[in-house]
Amino acid sequence: MKFKINWDIPEKGWEKAVEVRQKEPPGSEYDKACGPHYDLLYGEIQVSYELNSLFPSPQNLSLADLAYGLYYGVVREGFKGAQEGSAIRFQQADDAFEISFKKSRGMVLIISNHPSSKELEVPEDDFFHGVRQFLITFTQELMRRAPELLDWESLSVLRECLDSTQFEF
């Protein structure tokens, strides 16, 4: 695959998320405030297309926050079928870190406000395939390592990533 979102959550990140879930039940104030996807499952990501990377080195952010944002922006809000010039933006909830995606001439332009990031230009089909792979593999790993996290209302939408009919693009 040409476009990839590579990621890794350290073991301690998974352990912390499970510990918090034991203390904070579904429907708790923590859950209602979207704490699970803002505060947990931090890891390293690198966004790349062919041999080009968006960042000079992997960036640390909440993978749950990224998955949630991409799922809503790309799948639920229909970015694939959107008009030329349409854009979505992932903004990490706890700081000003952003990644923007804009459709232009059959491509998706990917930029970040990280000071040393590069711009990537990815064919739309490769982009959508890479986003799909990221969402599926992240959610599968979540189901394998800590399925109880998906009981939180604020993360439960990610279960839809395992339904292949969500990704008819």
Side-chain angles (χ1 to χ4, degrees):
M1 179 180 5
K2 295 179 181 181
F3 174 70
K4 292 183 182 180
I5 300 173
N6 292 314
W7 60 277
D8 180 55
I9 298 172
E11 188 62 36
K12 287 184 180 187
W14 290 106
E15 291 169 0
K16 177 185 175 187
V18 170
E19 287 173 18
V20 171
R21 171 57 185 83
Q22 290 170 349
K23 295 176 188 171
E24 298 289 348
S28 66
E29 287 304 313
Y30 179 78
D31 185 16
K32 290 177 184 174
C34 296
H37 62 86
Y38 297 153
D39 296 337
L40 301 174
L41 299 174
Y42 271 74
E44 302 288 313
I45 71 146
Q46 181 59 273
V47 179
S48 60
Y49 176 62
E50 294 181 333
L51 300 176
N52 301 306
S53 296
L54 185 61
F55 309 109
S57 60
Q59 298 300 301
N60 188 275
L61 58 87
S62 168
L63 275 293
D65 199 9
L66 180 63
Y68 184 87
L70 286 176
Y71 181 74
Y72 266 92
V74 174
V75 179
R76 283 264 181 106
E77 294 178 7
F79 186 59
K80 180 167 177 79
Q83 296 178 340
E84 175 81 11
S86 295
I88 58 172
R89 180 180 63 184
F90 164 74
Q91 183 174 9
Q92 184 159 288
D94 64 351
D95 61 23
F97 183 82
E98 293 181 6
I99 304 173
S100 297
F101 309 89
K102 182 177 180 180
K103 291 176 76 169
S104 177
R105 303 175 321 276
M107 306 293 274
V108 175
L109 303 176
I110 305 169
I111 58 172
S112 172
N113 66 345
H114 184 279
S116 57
S117 68
K118 297 178 182 177
E119 181 177 294
L120 295 180
E121 190 173 49
V122 180
E124 281 187 32
D125 288 344
D126 287 343
F127 171 78
F128 291 114
H129 183 73
V131 167
R132 178 181 190 263
Q133 284 306 112
F134 164 72
L135 291 171
I136 289 171
T137 58
F138 175 75
T139 306
Q140 285 174 335
E141 189 67 3
L142 194 53
M143 288 293 294
R144 186 180 78 77
R145 298 188 64 137
E148 64 274 21
L149 300 183
L150 292 171
D151 293 339
W152 274 319
E153 293 169 22
S154 58
L155 289 183
S156 64
V157 70
L158 293 178
R159 286 184 192 275
E160 294 176 23
C161 294
L162 300 176
D163 177 2
S164 63
T165 63
Q166 294 294 318
F167 298 106
E168 294 179 354
F169 51 74

